[in-house]
Amino acid sequence: MAVSFDQIVPWGRSRQEYELMFSLDAEDLSGGVLDCGGGPASFTAELTASGVRAVSVDPIYAFSGSEIHARFEAVVESMISQVRATPGDWVWSYHRDPDDLYANRRAAIEGFLADYENGLREHRYIVGELPSLPFKSDSFGLAVCSHLLFLYSDLLSEDFHVRSILELCRVAREVRLFPLLTLAREPSPHLAAVQSAVRLRGWSSEVVPVNFEFQRGGNKMLRVFRPGGV
Ligand SMILES: C[S@@+](CC[C@H](N)C(=O)[O-])C[C@H]1O[C@@H](n2cnc3c(N)ncnc32)[C@H](O)[C@@H]1O
């Protein structure tokens, strides 16, 4: 599925948000990290700057930095307006208010853009998309996927979710996904099928409460791992 320019909504988070969403510590990052659907998040840029091996994969990396930046400027006001129009849907703790959210999203994409050209050259930003990733098996200690699977359960089928998570389990020894809610703030209908599919493969999974909640009710991640961590 090729992504057309006007479908892109480059809305990215920071390393600090990722660390809270996925309860990350230094040990979790030590085997190399894949940010799947990383978009314009500054996670990979910030990890790289601190000496951690990190790679992002996303179909939008087919576009230049200036194209991604232009799309951010084209959508940012309407994204923030949607948030302002639904104040009860959000928890204003990490982001203090819509203006703070705006500033944080801008800071994240700026961090991403400052790293993007170098990162493309160094093969840290890879064009690719679920459910089939361009990496060898066991390439990473951890793969994270933020605000893609489960969130877009209305658009992405159960079969797509199952194939995508099995693919993430192929390329990484552990997988973490956040949030487990849909855009309508309902529990994803695909969670049970995903947990059942990984169990059939001999993997374990657990729903873990995390110390981060912006989408009201969205304060849990799914952790999928191989028993014994091998
Ligand atoms: C809402 S953004 C989240 C960006 C980032 N993960 C974050 O939380 O800040 C979702 C991202 O998923 C990417 N995406 C869409 N379909 C994808 C697929 N099949 N495989 C990988 N990434 C995909 C989009 O291009 C977009 O950058």
Side-chain angles (χ1 to χ4, degrees), residues 20 27 54 63 69 74 95-96 112 115 151 173 197 201 204:
L20 292 168
E27 172 68 22
F63 296 96
H69 187 195
H95 307 289
R96 290 188 305 276
F112 160 79
D115 182 52
L151 185 65
R173 292 186 293 280
R201 300 290 173 112
S204 299

Side-chain angles (χ1 to χ4, degrees), residues 26-99:
E27 172 68 22
D28 295 325
L29 305 175
S30 62
V33 186
L34 175 66
D35 183 9
C36 184
S42 56
F43 183 55
T44 280
E46 293 185 71
L47 288 184
T48 303
S50 65
V52 175
R53 183 170 71 88
V55 170
S56 292
V57 61
D58 196 300
I60 71 164
Y61 303 147
F63 296 96
S64 69
S66 53
E67 287 172 319
I68 294 171
H69 187 195
R71 272 302 289 166
F72 175 82
E73 298 299 348
V75 302
V76 61
E77 292 296 345
S78 107
M79 294 293 285
I80 296 292
S81 296
Q82 286 172 40
V83 170
R84 285 189 204 282
T86 53
D89 287 0
W90 313 98
V91 174
W92 298 104
S93 51
Y94 183 88
H95 307 289
R96 290 188 305 276
D97 54 37
D99 290 336

Side-chain angles (χ1 to χ4, degrees), residues 208-223:
V208 182
V210 297
N211 190 22
F212 182 86
E213 183 178 359
F214 178 47
Q215 187 190 29
R216 190 171 292 284
N219 58 356
K220 295 188 185 76
M221 69 156 163
L222 182 69
R223 182 171 166 251

Side-chain angles (χ1 to χ4, degrees), residues 11-13 18 37-39 41 58-60 129-130 146-148 152 160:
W11 206 234
R13 292 159 187 83
Y18 270 68
D58 196 300
I60 71 164
E129 61 189 281
L130 292 168
S146 154
H147 294 83
L148 172 58
Y152 294 99
F160 179 90

Side-chain angles (χ1 to χ4, degrees), residues 11 24-25 41 65 86 102 109 136 142 186 194 204 209:
W11 206 234
L24 297 175
D25 60 23
T86 53
Y102 183 109
I109 195 170
K136 292 185 183 151
L142 176 68
E186 301 289 342
V194 162
S204 299

